[in-house]
Amino acid sequence: MSPRENLILGIESSCDETAAAVVAGGQRIVSSIVASQVEIHRKYGGVVPELASREHLRRIVPVVREALERAGIALPDLDAIAVTRGPGLIGALLVGVTYGKVLALALGKPLIAVNHLEGHVHAVLLEAHAAGRRPELPAVCLIVSGGHTILYHVQSAATNGAERFSYARIGGTRDDAAGEAYDKAARMLALGYPGGPIIDQLASHGNPQAIRFGEPKMRGNPYDFSFSGIKTAVFYHLRRHPELQSEIEARREALARGERSAESMRALSSSATLDLVASFQRAIVADLVNRTLAAAEQHATRTILVSGGVAANRELRATFEAEAKQCGLAVYFPSRALSTDNAAMIAAAGYPRFLAGEHEDATLNAEANLPLT
Ligand code: KG4
Ligand code: ZN
């Protein structure tokens, strides 16, 4: 490790993953630990905020300890502690912020506050740097997860050592986030939780042209999204097709027995269900890709960044890559592991702020609705 590589501990607890990571020089992941709470929230079909906070409390100390052990360092070796300040679930955020504050105070190390959404942008950059690529700015960035579906115009801002960015919001969802739509559709179809990964796998076995979901009609900002309509459309489709109920019941029973693999779900799904799933995914992917490309064209950017849990989706990645190529745009994604919430992206996003001397004190507070500016 070169002496100029600062070691930053990142801490993330905004939703349902308790995560800690050590990143060197703002770019190299030395260790990254993510403790998922999916098993706890599964039976509710979504994140239960009170349970999330309680679980973060239980996991945060061992997760940080493991991140340090894997990195082969001790607390005094750190140069700074970067923690997610918001946006997210307030009780969940408070666990990370409070722990980060206490750790920084006890060690006499700088404390850096990070916006979770800026973390997702840095997840793309971490991956690009690891591959020796450097995304050209300005860019249009789509952050698409269970909690967010939002488009930003990202520009290079004044630098002070490491590159800094400024963000202007282009549009966002007016109702559900895309990941939320996946989770709710999977719940109606009894495909398990979270819905994204299972629908991703089943969709490739169905006909995406089988069912036409109308494009969401947006008045006003053409870069806004709306996914509640497609969720309702799935609901009415199931009402019109009562013959699908028996397989839904069979899948519900399989899930209750702990059989949740894609193979089990596929074996219990008729071609009508696979077609529904494929058509649902095609509609969401087309909407995300079309609005993002239109935003890139309007802002005359040649780069697209895509991040967040739904960025792990295979059809979304393939469609973005194919369409961006046609338009002569470069598109960047994080690896699948860095797409979902993690703390490496928080440490990386904290690095330029650390270099700029943007340190927080004990008055730092979590902010559930923190905007990205
Ligand atoms: O970024 P993330 O871990 O947490 C939030 O900030 O929400 O994203 C989780 C969301 C869930 O809604 C999950 O269903 C979705 O991302 N997701 C996917 C895939 N993997 C995760 N959606 C579509 N396709 C996937 N492969
Ligand atoms: Zn996230």
Side-chain angles (χ1 to χ4, degrees):
M1 209 176 290
S2 89
R4 286 173 58 230
E5 276 196 318
N6 292 297
L7 292 175
I8 299 197
L9 172 71
I11 298 175
E12 156 63 34
S13 71
S14 67
C15 190
D16 62 340
E17 334 270 0
T18 318
V22 176
V23 171
Q27 290 186 358
R28 193 169 58 81
I29 301 171
V30 187
S31 67
S32 178
I33 307 296
V34 180
S36 166
Q37 303 180 0
V38 71
E39 294 303 331
I40 287 160
H41 302 291
R42 181 164 271 155
K43 58 176 169 295
Y44 306 97
V47 178
V48 183
E50 288 77 9
L51 296 183
S53 318
R54 200 189 304 167
E55 200 55 19
H56 284 306
L57 266 178
R58 220 168 62 76
R59 307 296 286 273
I60 191 128
V61 173
V63 163
V64 167
R65 193 174 293 150
E66 196 177 341
L68 294 170
E69 268 172 24
R70 292 265 181 99
I73 62 166
L75 284 169
D77 299 324
L78 293 169
D79 291 287
I81 289 144
V83 63
T84 304
R85 175 193 211 166
L89 302 170
I90 191 69
L93 287 164
L94 270 170
V95 176
V97 166
T98 308
Y99 185 66
K101 257 194 311 204
V102 170
L103 208 54
L105 274 174
L107 294 168
K109 306 276 181 189
L111 176 67
I112 319 293
V114 172
N115 184 307
H116 180 82
L117 298 170
E118 183 164 44
H120 277 299
V121 174
H122 277 265
V124 189
L125 303 177
L126 268 173
E127 189 68 23
H129 285 137
R133 296 169 78 198
R134 197 182 163 82
E136 182 186 310
L137 294 184
V140 161
C141 179
L142 170 69
I143 298 175
V144 60
S145 70
H148 308 279
T149 301
I150 189 160
L151 275 169
Y152 288 102
H153 184 235
V154 186
Q155 283 181 291
S156 226
T159 59
N160 189 352
E163 192 169 22
R164 293 288 295 267
F165 308 109
S166 67
Y167 305 90
R169 190 180 184 280
I170 301 173
T173 184
R174 295 185 187 172
D175 39 59
D176 294 348
E180 202 177 344
Y182 267 99
D183 295 339
K184 288 177 176 170
R187 195 172 173 186
M188 284 186 256
L189 288 161
L191 290 171
Y193 174 82
I198 183 81
I199 290 180
D200 188 356
Q201 293 184 71
L202 295 185
S204 56
H205 302 289
N207 172 10
Q209 321 277 358
I211 299 155
R212 283 241 160 266
F213 290 108
E215 270 178 40
K217 291 184 187 55
M218 304 303 292
R219 290 221 185 104
N221 186 353
Y223 307 113
D224 276 350
F225 298 91
S226 168
F227 295 107
S228 70
I230 190 164
K231 173 190 70 187
T232 314
V234 171
F235 176 80
Y236 282 112
H237 182 90
L238 293 176
R239 277 242 298 239
R240 280 196 306 276
H241 293 276
E243 71 279 9
L244 297 176
Q245 282 309 315
S246 59
E247 56 176 289
I248 289 178
E249 201 41 53
R251 289 194 296 268
R252 197 162 281 137
E253 284 166 14
L255 288 172
R257 290 193 301 271
E259 291 165 27
R260 53 187 67 260
S261 70
E263 300 77 60
S264 313
M265 289 297 123
R266 191 184 163 195
L268 293 169
S269 300
S270 63
S271 63
T273 292
L274 295 172
D275 287 352
L276 173 62
V277 162
S279 304
F280 167 85
Q281 171 155 296
R282 176 61 55 86
I284 291 197
V285 165
D287 194 52
L288 291 170
V289 172
N290 291 342
R291 286 186 209 278
T292 306
L293 288 177
E297 190 183 343
Q298 205 230 324
H299 287 80
T301 65
R302 292 178 50 205
T303 310
I304 291 174
L305 313 174
V306 188
S307 191
V310 182
N313 187 273
R314 289 176 296 184
E315 187 174 338
L316 184 75
R317 293 169 91 103
T319 311
F320 257 122
E321 261 155 18
E323 304 249 333
K325 202 171 182 184
Q326 276 205 337
C327 308
L329 300 172
V331 58
Y332 295 86
F333 299 92
S335 63
R336 283 164 145 248
L338 285 179
S339 294
T340 49
D341 288 348
N342 65 86
M345 68 185 196
I346 302 303
Y351 181 68
R353 295 180 185 276
F354 164 70
L355 290 186
E358 275 180 45
H359 303 170
E360 306 294 329
D361 59 24
T363 62
L364 174 69
N365 220 335
E367 273 191 53
N369 297 312
L370 185 69
L372 180 58
T373 51

